[in-house]
Amino acid sequence: MTLASVLTVLADHPVLVLFLVTGIGAAIGRIRLWGMSLGAVAVLFTMIALTAWGVSQGVTIEVPSYVGDFGLVLFAFSIGVIAGPGFVNALRTSYWMLLLVSAIMIAAAALTLGLGTMLDLSPETIAGAYAGSVTSTPALAATGGSPAATVGYASTYIFGVIGAMGAVVLALRHSRTDADAPPRIVDLVIRIDTDSTPTMTDLTRRHGGRVLVSRLRRPDGEVVVVGPDTVLEKGAIINVVGPERVVAAVTEELGHPSTLNITHDRSRLDYRRIILSDSRWSGRTIAQLGVAERFGATIVRVRRGDVEFLGTPDFVLHQGDRLRVVAPRDQLPAVTAFLGDSERGMADLNPVALGLGIAAGMLLGLIEVPLPGGSHLSLGAAAGALIVGLVMGRIGRIGRFVTTIPNAAATALGELGLLIFLAYAGSKAGSQILQAIASGEIVALVGIGLVVTSFAMFGTYLLVRHILHLGGTKLSGVIAGAQTNTAILAFAQERTSHDVRVALGYSLVYPTALVVKILLAQLLTLL
Protein backbone atom coordinates (compact mmCIF):
# COMPACT_ATOMS: atom_id res chain seq x y z
CA MET A 1 0.00 0.00 0.00
CA THR A 2 1.44 3.34 -1.07
CA LEU A 3 1.63 6.46 1.09
CA ALA A 4 -1.00 8.18 -1.05
CA SER A 5 -3.42 5.27 -0.59
CA VAL A 6 -2.90 5.34 3.20
CA LEU A 7 -3.66 9.04 3.28
CA THR A 8 -6.72 8.45 1.08
CA VAL A 9 -8.04 5.82 3.50
CA LEU A 10 -7.61 8.25 6.36
CA ALA A 11 -9.36 11.00 4.41
CA ASP A 12 -12.31 8.66 3.80
CA HIS A 13 -12.61 7.73 7.49
CA PRO A 14 -12.52 10.87 9.66
CA VAL A 15 -13.59 8.98 12.80
CA LEU A 16 -10.55 6.73 12.39
CA VAL A 17 -8.37 9.83 12.01
CA LEU A 18 -9.94 11.37 15.12
CA PHE A 19 -9.07 8.46 17.40
CA LEU A 20 -5.72 7.72 15.76
CA VAL A 21 -4.50 11.28 16.16
CA THR A 22 -5.92 11.47 19.69
CA GLY A 23 -3.95 8.38 20.72
CA ILE A 24 -0.69 9.34 19.02
CA GLY A 25 -0.95 12.99 20.09
CA ALA A 26 -1.68 12.08 23.70
CA ALA A 27 1.34 9.74 23.73
CA ILE A 28 3.56 12.52 22.35
CA GLY A 29 2.08 14.91 24.90
CA ARG A 30 3.37 12.75 27.76
CA ILE A 31 6.99 13.08 26.66
CA ARG A 32 8.81 15.42 29.05
CA LEU A 33 11.71 17.61 27.95
CA TRP A 34 13.43 19.91 30.44
CA GLY A 35 10.62 19.23 32.87
CA MET A 36 7.88 20.25 30.41
CA SER A 37 5.36 18.33 28.35
CA LEU A 38 2.75 19.44 25.81
CA GLY A 39 -0.05 17.32 27.25
CA ALA A 40 -3.33 17.48 25.31
CA VAL A 41 -1.99 20.31 23.11
CA ALA A 42 0.11 17.69 21.31
CA VAL A 43 -3.11 16.40 19.72
CA LEU A 44 -3.54 19.79 18.04
CA PHE A 45 -0.02 19.84 16.62
CA THR A 46 -0.19 16.17 15.55
CA MET A 47 -3.33 16.84 13.54
CA ILE A 48 -1.82 19.99 12.00
CA ALA A 49 1.19 17.95 10.86
CA LEU A 50 -0.94 15.12 9.45
CA THR A 51 -3.34 17.34 7.50
CA ALA A 52 -0.53 19.55 6.16
CA TRP A 53 1.25 16.39 5.01
CA GLY A 54 -1.94 15.21 3.34
CA VAL A 55 -2.40 18.49 1.49
CA SER A 56 1.19 18.30 0.25
CA GLN A 57 0.30 14.90 -1.26
CA GLY A 58 -2.96 16.15 -2.78
CA VAL A 59 -5.16 14.52 -0.11
CA THR A 60 -7.46 16.55 2.16
CA ILE A 61 -7.87 15.07 5.63
CA GLU A 62 -10.52 16.86 7.64
CA VAL A 63 -12.63 16.24 10.74
CA PRO A 64 -16.25 17.36 10.16
CA SER A 65 -17.17 20.68 11.75
CA TYR A 66 -20.09 19.19 13.69
CA VAL A 67 -17.63 16.85 15.44
CA GLY A 68 -15.58 19.86 16.52
CA ASP A 69 -18.73 21.65 17.67
CA PHE A 70 -19.69 18.61 19.74
CA GLY A 71 -16.32 18.48 21.46
CA LEU A 72 -16.26 22.24 22.09
CA VAL A 73 -19.72 22.49 23.70
CA LEU A 74 -19.11 19.35 25.77
CA PHE A 75 -15.86 20.82 27.06
CA ALA A 76 -17.29 24.29 27.69
CA PHE A 77 -20.33 22.97 29.58
CA SER A 78 -18.20 20.66 31.73
CA ILE A 79 -15.80 23.49 32.63
CA GLY A 80 -18.78 25.62 33.60
CA VAL A 81 -20.19 22.92 35.87
CA ILE A 82 -16.81 22.45 37.59
CA ALA A 83 -16.21 26.18 38.10
CA GLY A 84 -19.84 27.09 38.86
CA PRO A 85 -19.82 26.62 42.67
CA GLY A 86 -17.10 29.25 43.14
CA PHE A 87 -17.90 31.47 40.16
CA VAL A 88 -20.37 33.96 41.66
CA ASN A 89 -18.26 34.64 44.74
CA ALA A 90 -15.17 35.18 42.59
CA LEU A 91 -17.06 37.40 40.13
CA ARG A 92 -17.97 39.87 42.87
CA THR A 93 -14.32 40.71 43.32
CA SER A 94 -13.13 40.28 39.70
CA TYR A 95 -14.86 42.98 37.65
CA TRP A 96 -11.60 44.94 37.49
CA MET A 97 -9.98 41.90 35.91
CA LEU A 98 -12.64 41.80 33.18
CA LEU A 99 -12.09 45.48 32.42
CA LEU A 100 -8.33 45.00 32.34
CA VAL A 101 -8.47 41.99 29.99
CA SER A 102 -10.90 43.84 27.72
CA ALA A 103 -8.54 46.82 27.55
CA ILE A 104 -5.63 44.52 26.62
CA MET A 105 -7.67 42.90 23.81
CA ILE A 106 -8.63 46.33 22.45
CA ALA A 107 -5.00 47.49 22.54
CA ALA A 108 -3.92 44.25 20.78
CA ALA A 109 -6.45 44.93 18.01
CA ALA A 110 -5.15 48.48 17.61
CA LEU A 111 -1.58 47.14 17.44
CA THR A 112 -2.58 44.62 14.75
CA LEU A 113 -4.27 47.36 12.74
CA GLY A 114 -1.23 49.61 12.95
CA LEU A 115 1.23 46.90 11.92
CA GLY A 116 -1.05 45.59 9.16
CA THR A 117 -1.55 49.08 7.72
CA MET A 118 2.21 49.69 7.70
CA LEU A 119 2.68 46.45 5.73
CA ASP A 120 -0.18 47.33 3.34
CA LEU A 121 -2.31 44.31 4.26
CA SER A 122 -6.02 44.17 3.45
CA PRO A 123 -8.58 44.72 6.25
CA GLU A 124 -9.69 41.07 5.98
CA THR A 125 -6.12 39.83 6.36
CA ILE A 126 -5.56 42.13 9.35
CA ALA A 127 -8.75 40.89 11.01
CA GLY A 128 -7.72 37.28 10.43
CA ALA A 129 -4.23 37.96 11.80
CA TYR A 130 -5.79 39.41 14.95
CA ALA A 131 -8.09 36.39 15.34
CA GLY A 132 -5.13 34.02 14.97
CA SER A 133 -2.87 35.99 17.31
CA VAL A 134 -5.50 35.73 20.04
CA THR A 135 -6.47 32.20 18.87
CA SER A 136 -10.17 32.93 18.49
CA THR A 137 -11.93 30.81 15.85
CA PRO A 138 -15.28 32.56 16.57
CA ALA A 139 -13.55 35.88 15.83
CA LEU A 140 -12.39 34.46 12.49
CA ALA A 141 -15.96 33.37 11.78
CA ALA A 142 -17.13 36.89 12.63
CA THR A 143 -14.96 38.24 9.79
CA GLY A 144 -16.88 36.08 7.33
CA GLY A 145 -14.08 33.55 6.90
CA SER A 146 -12.81 35.00 3.64
CA PRO A 147 -9.64 33.49 2.10
CA ALA A 148 -7.62 36.54 3.11
CA ALA A 149 -8.82 36.36 6.70
CA THR A 150 -8.16 32.62 6.80
CA VAL A 151 -4.58 33.11 5.60
CA GLY A 152 -3.99 35.70 8.31
CA TYR A 153 -5.49 33.39 10.93
CA ALA A 154 -3.52 30.30 9.93
CA SER A 155 -0.24 32.23 9.81
CA THR A 156 -0.52 33.65 13.33
CA TYR A 157 -2.44 30.92 15.15
CA ILE A 158 0.44 28.56 16.02
CA PHE A 159 2.51 31.18 17.79
CA GLY A 160 -0.71 32.35 19.44
CA VAL A 161 -0.77 28.95 21.16
CA ILE A 162 2.99 28.78 21.83
CA GLY A 163 3.18 32.35 23.18
CA ALA A 164 0.29 31.77 25.54
CA MET A 165 1.90 28.56 26.76
CA GLY A 166 5.03 30.56 27.58
CA ALA A 167 2.95 33.07 29.58
CA VAL A 168 1.31 30.18 31.48
CA VAL A 169 4.71 28.71 32.36
CA LEU A 170 5.82 32.11 33.58
CA ALA A 171 2.69 32.52 35.71
CA LEU A 172 3.03 29.07 37.28
CA ARG A 173 6.56 29.86 38.44
CA HIS A 174 4.88 31.84 41.22
CA SER A 175 2.22 29.24 42.12
CA ARG A 176 4.00 28.00 45.24
CA THR A 177 3.50 31.38 46.91
CA ASP A 178 -0.17 31.77 45.96
CA ALA A 179 -2.11 33.57 48.68
CA ASP A 180 -5.43 32.27 47.32
CA ALA A 181 -4.56 28.58 47.73
CA PRO A 182 -7.29 26.61 49.53
CA PRO A 183 -6.33 26.44 53.23
CA ARG A 184 -5.01 23.11 54.43
CA ILE A 185 -7.60 21.36 56.59
CA VAL A 186 -6.06 19.82 59.72
CA ASP A 187 -7.32 18.24 62.93
CA LEU A 188 -5.80 18.49 66.39
CA VAL A 189 -6.64 17.01 69.76
CA ILE A 190 -6.90 19.76 72.42
CA ARG A 191 -7.29 19.60 76.21
CA ILE A 192 -9.53 22.42 77.44
CA ASP A 193 -8.02 24.57 80.22
CA THR A 194 -10.33 27.59 80.12
CA ASP A 195 -13.02 28.21 82.76
CA SER A 196 -15.27 30.05 80.31
CA THR A 197 -17.25 26.90 79.24
CA PRO A 198 -18.35 28.12 75.78
CA THR A 199 -20.84 26.13 73.75
CA MET A 200 -19.99 24.79 70.33
CA THR A 201 -22.19 27.50 68.79
CA ASP A 202 -20.19 30.18 70.63
CA LEU A 203 -16.92 28.74 69.32
CA THR A 204 -18.02 28.52 65.68
CA ARG A 205 -19.48 32.04 65.76
CA ARG A 206 -16.23 33.50 67.08
CA HIS A 207 -14.25 31.86 64.30
CA GLY A 208 -16.60 32.62 61.42
CA GLY A 209 -17.98 29.09 61.11
CA ARG A 210 -14.59 27.79 59.98
CA VAL A 211 -14.06 25.22 62.73
CA LEU A 212 -15.69 21.93 63.74
CA VAL A 213 -15.29 19.58 66.70
CA SER A 214 -15.73 15.98 65.59
CA ARG A 215 -15.83 14.41 69.06
CA LEU A 216 -15.42 15.22 72.75
CA ARG A 217 -14.11 13.17 75.66
CA ARG A 218 -15.66 14.28 78.91
CA PRO A 219 -13.65 14.38 82.15
CA ASP A 220 -15.39 11.14 83.19
CA GLY A 221 -13.99 9.40 80.06
CA GLU A 222 -17.18 9.23 77.95
CA VAL A 223 -16.63 10.04 74.25
CA VAL A 224 -19.57 11.79 72.54
CA VAL A 225 -20.50 13.49 69.28
CA VAL A 226 -20.54 17.28 69.56
CA GLY A 227 -23.72 19.22 68.80
CA PRO A 228 -24.46 22.98 68.62
CA ASP A 229 -25.40 23.14 72.33
CA THR A 230 -22.55 20.98 73.64
CA VAL A 231 -20.67 22.74 76.43
CA LEU A 232 -16.89 22.70 76.07
CA GLU A 233 -16.10 22.23 79.74
CA LYS A 234 -12.74 22.45 81.46
CA GLY A 235 -10.85 19.16 81.49
CA ALA A 236 -12.57 17.84 78.39
CA ILE A 237 -10.57 16.70 75.37
CA ILE A 238 -11.80 17.63 71.90
CA ASN A 239 -10.76 16.87 68.32
CA VAL A 240 -10.80 20.18 66.41
CA VAL A 241 -11.02 20.26 62.60
CA GLY A 242 -10.50 23.33 60.39
CA PRO A 243 -7.98 25.46 58.48
CA GLU A 244 -4.54 25.31 60.06
CA ARG A 245 -4.52 28.92 61.27
CA VAL A 246 -8.01 28.69 62.74
CA VAL A 247 -7.17 25.46 64.61
CA ALA A 248 -4.08 27.18 66.04
CA ALA A 249 -6.25 30.10 67.23
CA VAL A 250 -8.75 27.74 68.86
CA THR A 251 -5.91 25.92 70.61
CA GLU A 252 -4.60 29.18 72.05
CA GLU A 253 -8.10 30.17 73.16
CA LEU A 254 -9.16 26.92 74.83
CA GLY A 255 -6.06 25.17 76.10
CA HIS A 256 -3.18 23.18 74.68
CA PRO A 257 -2.53 20.16 72.41
CA SER A 258 -3.16 16.85 74.16
CA THR A 259 -0.97 13.78 74.07
CA LEU A 260 -4.12 11.63 74.36
CA ASN A 261 -5.43 11.07 70.86
CA ILE A 262 -9.13 10.37 71.30
CA THR A 263 -9.56 9.59 67.59
CA HIS A 264 -7.85 6.25 68.28
CA ASP A 265 -10.67 5.30 70.65
CA ARG A 266 -13.20 3.79 68.25
CA SER A 267 -15.13 1.78 70.81
CA ARG A 268 -18.20 4.04 70.65
CA LEU A 269 -17.52 6.52 67.83
CA ASP A 270 -15.97 5.66 64.49
CA TYR A 271 -15.31 7.43 61.21
CA ARG A 272 -15.55 6.44 57.57
CA ARG A 273 -15.02 7.91 54.11
CA ILE A 274 -18.38 7.74 52.32
CA ILE A 275 -19.13 8.70 48.71
CA LEU A 276 -22.28 10.78 48.30
CA SER A 277 -23.79 8.79 45.44
CA ASP A 278 -27.51 9.18 46.17
CA SER A 279 -28.67 11.91 43.78
CA ARG A 280 -31.44 12.96 46.22
CA TRP A 281 -28.87 14.80 48.32
CA SER A 282 -26.94 16.50 45.51
CA GLY A 283 -27.37 20.26 45.73
CA ARG A 284 -28.36 20.10 49.41
CA THR A 285 -26.43 21.68 52.24
CA ILE A 286 -24.94 19.50 54.97
CA ALA A 287 -27.50 20.93 57.40
CA GLN A 288 -30.35 19.90 55.07
CA LEU A 289 -29.19 16.28 55.13
CA GLY A 290 -29.93 16.16 58.86
CA VAL A 291 -27.42 13.40 59.60
CA ALA A 292 -26.88 14.77 63.11
CA GLU A 293 -30.59 14.51 63.92
CA ARG A 294 -31.09 11.18 62.15
CA PHE A 295 -27.97 9.30 63.20
CA GLY A 296 -26.03 11.47 65.66
CA ALA A 297 -23.36 11.82 62.96
CA THR A 298 -21.09 14.68 61.89
CA ILE A 299 -19.73 15.35 58.38
CA VAL A 300 -16.29 16.69 59.20
CA ARG A 301 -14.63 17.03 55.79
CA VAL A 302 -15.66 17.04 52.14
CA ARG A 303 -13.24 16.06 49.39
CA ARG A 304 -14.14 17.22 45.87
CA GLY A 305 -11.63 16.35 43.20
CA ASP A 306 -8.24 16.96 44.79
CA VAL A 307 -9.42 19.73 47.13
CA GLU A 308 -10.60 19.19 50.72
CA PHE A 309 -13.17 21.44 52.42
CA LEU A 310 -14.44 21.81 55.96
CA GLY A 311 -17.88 20.26 56.42
CA THR A 312 -19.69 23.39 57.60
CA PRO A 313 -23.53 23.29 57.85
CA ASP A 314 -23.97 25.63 54.85
CA PHE A 315 -21.64 23.70 52.52
CA VAL A 316 -23.51 22.61 49.36
CA LEU A 317 -22.83 18.98 48.48
CA HIS A 318 -22.50 17.51 44.99
CA GLN A 319 -22.96 13.93 43.90
CA GLY A 320 -19.58 12.20 43.94
CA ASP A 321 -18.23 14.16 46.92
CA ARG A 322 -16.28 12.04 49.41
CA LEU A 323 -17.41 12.73 52.95
CA ARG A 324 -15.55 11.99 56.14
CA VAL A 325 -18.28 11.08 58.64
CA VAL A 326 -17.96 10.58 62.40
CA ALA A 327 -20.85 8.63 63.94
CA PRO A 328 -21.71 6.05 66.62
CA ARG A 329 -20.37 2.69 65.50
CA ASP A 330 -23.81 1.09 65.34
CA GLN A 331 -25.10 3.94 63.14
CA LEU A 332 -22.37 3.88 60.48
CA PRO A 333 -24.10 1.24 58.29
CA ALA A 334 -27.29 3.32 58.32
CA VAL A 335 -25.39 6.52 57.46
CA THR A 336 -23.61 4.71 54.63
CA ALA A 337 -26.90 3.44 53.17
CA PHE A 338 -28.44 6.91 53.53
CA LEU A 339 -25.64 8.61 51.57
CA GLY A 340 -25.22 5.83 49.00
CA ASP A 341 -21.47 5.14 49.03
CA SER A 342 -21.37 3.77 45.48
CA GLU A 343 -18.47 4.29 43.09
CA ARG A 344 -21.03 4.64 40.32
CA GLY A 345 -22.15 7.91 41.87
CA MET A 346 -18.81 9.51 40.98
CA ALA A 347 -19.29 8.55 37.32
CA ASP A 348 -22.99 9.39 37.00
CA LEU A 349 -23.24 11.54 33.87
CA ASN A 350 -26.68 12.86 34.88
CA PRO A 351 -27.76 12.72 31.21
CA VAL A 352 -30.88 14.81 31.85
CA ALA A 353 -28.82 17.77 33.09
CA LEU A 354 -26.11 17.13 30.49
CA GLY A 355 -28.48 17.05 27.53
CA LEU A 356 -30.80 19.85 28.58
CA GLY A 357 -27.92 22.02 29.79
CA ILE A 358 -25.93 21.81 26.56
CA ALA A 359 -29.10 22.30 24.49
CA ALA A 360 -29.99 25.41 26.50
CA GLY A 361 -26.43 26.72 26.09
CA MET A 362 -26.50 26.24 22.32
CA LEU A 363 -29.87 27.98 22.08
CA LEU A 364 -28.49 30.86 24.13
CA GLY A 365 -25.54 31.05 21.73
CA LEU A 366 -27.90 31.34 18.76
CA ILE A 367 -29.56 34.53 20.02
CA GLU A 368 -28.53 37.40 17.76
CA VAL A 369 -28.17 40.96 19.01
CA PRO A 370 -28.53 43.60 16.26
CA LEU A 371 -25.56 45.92 15.73
CA PRO A 372 -25.27 49.19 13.81
CA GLY A 373 -24.90 48.69 10.08
CA GLY A 374 -27.25 45.71 9.88
CA SER A 375 -24.83 43.13 11.35
CA HIS A 376 -25.56 40.90 14.33
CA LEU A 377 -23.66 39.56 17.32
CA SER A 378 -24.20 36.18 18.97
CA LEU A 379 -22.33 34.46 21.78
CA GLY A 380 -21.88 31.21 19.89
CA ALA A 381 -22.41 27.66 21.13
CA ALA A 382 -19.25 27.47 23.26
CA ALA A 383 -19.84 30.64 25.28
CA GLY A 384 -23.53 29.77 25.66
CA ALA A 385 -22.72 26.28 26.96
CA LEU A 386 -20.13 27.71 29.36
CA ILE A 387 -22.59 30.26 30.79
CA VAL A 388 -25.35 27.68 31.28
CA GLY A 389 -22.83 25.27 32.83
CA LEU A 390 -21.73 27.97 35.29
CA VAL A 391 -25.34 28.64 36.30
CA MET A 392 -26.27 24.97 36.63
CA GLY A 393 -23.10 24.15 38.55
CA ARG A 394 -23.80 27.05 40.88
CA ILE A 395 -27.45 26.32 41.75
CA GLY A 396 -26.98 22.55 42.06
CA ARG A 397 -30.67 21.69 42.19
CA ILE A 398 -34.13 22.97 41.16
CA GLY A 399 -36.67 21.10 43.24
CA ARG A 400 -36.03 17.44 42.51
CA PHE A 401 -34.03 18.20 39.39
CA VAL A 402 -30.28 17.95 40.00
CA THR A 403 -28.55 20.46 37.73
CA THR A 404 -24.94 19.46 38.33
CA ILE A 405 -22.66 16.54 37.42
CA PRO A 406 -20.20 14.78 39.75
CA ASN A 407 -16.76 16.39 39.62
CA ALA A 408 -15.05 13.21 38.40
CA ALA A 409 -17.59 12.72 35.60
CA ALA A 410 -17.47 16.39 34.56
CA THR A 411 -13.67 16.30 34.45
CA ALA A 412 -13.69 13.17 32.25
CA LEU A 413 -16.34 14.63 29.92
CA GLY A 414 -14.43 17.89 29.64
CA GLU A 415 -11.20 16.12 28.76
CA LEU A 416 -12.95 14.02 26.10
CA GLY A 417 -14.57 17.11 24.59
CA LEU A 418 -11.26 18.94 24.62
CA LEU A 419 -9.40 16.16 22.78
CA ILE A 420 -12.12 16.01 20.11
CA PHE A 421 -12.05 19.76 19.60
CA LEU A 422 -8.25 19.92 19.42
CA ALA A 423 -8.24 17.26 16.71
CA TYR A 424 -10.84 19.21 14.75
CA ALA A 425 -9.01 22.54 15.13
CA GLY A 426 -5.77 20.92 14.01
CA SER A 427 -7.40 19.58 10.85
CA LYS A 428 -8.60 23.07 9.92
CA ALA A 429 -5.29 24.83 10.62
CA GLY A 430 -3.20 22.15 8.95
CA SER A 431 -5.05 22.38 5.66
CA GLN A 432 -4.68 26.17 5.63
CA ILE A 433 -1.08 26.64 6.70
CA LEU A 434 0.33 25.64 3.30
CA GLN A 435 -1.90 28.23 1.66
CA ALA A 436 -0.42 30.85 3.97
CA ILE A 437 3.11 29.82 2.96
CA ALA A 438 2.26 29.91 -0.72
CA SER A 439 0.68 33.38 -0.46
CA GLY A 440 4.03 35.10 0.12
CA GLU A 441 2.67 37.05 3.10
CA ILE A 442 3.74 34.43 5.61
CA VAL A 443 6.81 36.32 6.91
CA ALA A 444 4.93 39.55 7.57
CA LEU A 445 2.00 37.73 9.14
CA VAL A 446 4.20 35.60 11.38
CA GLY A 447 5.95 38.76 12.52
CA ILE A 448 2.61 40.37 13.36
CA GLY A 449 1.61 37.25 15.27
CA LEU A 450 4.81 37.29 17.31
CA VAL A 451 4.33 40.92 18.31
CA VAL A 452 0.57 40.85 18.98
CA THR A 453 0.50 37.55 20.87
CA SER A 454 3.47 38.59 23.01
CA PHE A 455 1.80 41.91 23.76
CA ALA A 456 -1.56 40.35 24.62
CA MET A 457 -0.36 37.39 26.68
CA PHE A 458 2.60 38.85 28.52
CA GLY A 459 0.66 42.09 28.95
CA THR A 460 -2.10 40.06 30.63
CA TYR A 461 0.48 38.33 32.80
CA LEU A 462 2.21 41.56 33.90
CA LEU A 463 -0.87 43.71 34.48
CA VAL A 464 -3.07 41.11 36.17
CA ARG A 465 -0.26 39.88 38.40
CA HIS A 466 1.18 43.24 39.41
CA ILE A 467 -1.97 45.39 39.46
CA LEU A 468 -4.48 42.84 40.77
CA HIS A 469 -1.87 40.70 42.57
CA LEU A 470 -3.43 37.45 41.36
CA GLY A 471 -1.81 34.15 42.34
CA GLY A 472 0.08 32.21 39.67
CA THR A 473 -2.29 29.23 39.53
CA LYS A 474 -5.44 31.27 38.93
CA LEU A 475 -3.49 33.63 36.64
CA SER A 476 -2.63 30.70 34.35
CA GLY A 477 -6.38 30.13 33.89
CA VAL A 478 -6.93 33.84 33.27
CA ILE A 479 -4.27 33.77 30.53
CA ALA A 480 -5.99 30.78 28.89
CA GLY A 481 -9.36 32.53 29.21
CA ALA A 482 -8.01 35.79 27.78
CA GLN A 483 -6.72 33.77 24.82
CA THR A 484 -10.10 31.92 24.74
CA ASN A 485 -8.17 28.79 23.92
CA THR A 486 -9.00 25.36 25.30
CA ALA A 487 -5.57 24.04 24.37
CA ILE A 488 -3.93 26.58 26.70
CA LEU A 489 -6.40 25.70 29.43
CA ALA A 490 -5.52 22.01 29.05
CA PHE A 491 -1.83 22.88 29.27
CA ALA A 492 -2.37 24.85 32.48
CA GLN A 493 -4.62 22.19 34.00
CA GLU A 494 -2.18 19.38 33.40
CA ARG A 495 0.68 21.36 34.91
CA THR A 496 -1.40 22.03 38.06
CA SER A 497 -3.02 18.57 38.40
CA HIS A 498 -6.38 20.10 37.39
CA ASP A 499 -6.42 22.65 40.22
CA VAL A 500 -9.94 24.11 40.32
CA ARG A 501 -8.50 27.67 40.41
CA VAL A 502 -7.32 27.25 36.80
CA ALA A 503 -10.85 26.49 35.55
CA LEU A 504 -12.22 29.31 37.70
CA GLY A 505 -9.77 31.86 36.25
CA TYR A 506 -10.57 30.65 32.73
CA SER A 507 -14.33 30.81 33.20
CA LEU A 508 -14.15 34.30 34.73
CA VAL A 509 -12.66 36.02 31.69
CA TYR A 510 -13.57 33.69 28.80
CA PRO A 511 -17.11 35.02 28.02
CA THR A 512 -16.04 38.67 28.18
CA ALA A 513 -12.86 38.11 26.15
CA LEU A 514 -14.78 36.11 23.53
CA VAL A 515 -17.43 38.80 22.99
CA VAL A 516 -14.81 41.58 22.86
CA LYS A 517 -12.75 39.68 20.25
CA ILE A 518 -15.78 39.01 18.06
CA LEU A 519 -16.71 42.69 18.08
CA LEU A 520 -13.14 43.81 17.38
CA ALA A 521 -12.66 41.32 14.50
CA GLN A 522 -15.84 42.58 12.86
CA LEU A 523 -14.70 46.17 13.36
CA LEU A 524 -11.28 45.50 11.82
CA THR A 525 -12.86 44.22 8.58
CA LEU A 526 -14.71 47.52 8.20
CA LEU A 527 -11.69 49.83 8.66
Side-chain angles (χ1 to χ4, degrees), residues 214-232:
S214 63
R215 65 189 77 196
L216 178 147
R217 184 181 187 271
R218 290 173 175 159
D220 60 9
E222 182 183 6
V223 180
V224 298
V225 174
V226 177
D229 299 324
T230 302
V231 176
L232 306 178

Side-chain angles (χ1 to χ4, degrees), residues 369-453:
V369 178
L371 296 176
S375 58
H376 295 80
L377 169 68
S378 61
L379 287 174
L386 175 65
I387 292 171
V388 172
L390 287 168
V391 173
M392 293 179 67
R394 170 65 179 176
I395 62 180
R397 163 185 295 272
I398 303 175
R400 295 188 176 184
F401 174 50
V402 177
T403 62
T404 190
I405 299 173
N407 189 274
T411 300
L413 285 173
E415 187 170 354
L416 174 63
L418 175 64
L419 292 171
I420 291 173
F421 175 74
L422 289 175
Y424 160 75
S427 73
K428 296 294 291 183
S431 62
Q432 296 162 1
I433 196 67
L434 294 181
Q435 299 176 24
I437 295 173
S439 70
E441 295 178 336
I442 185 70
V443 176
L445 289 171
V446 169
I448 289 176
L450 287 169
V451 174
V452 174
T453 297

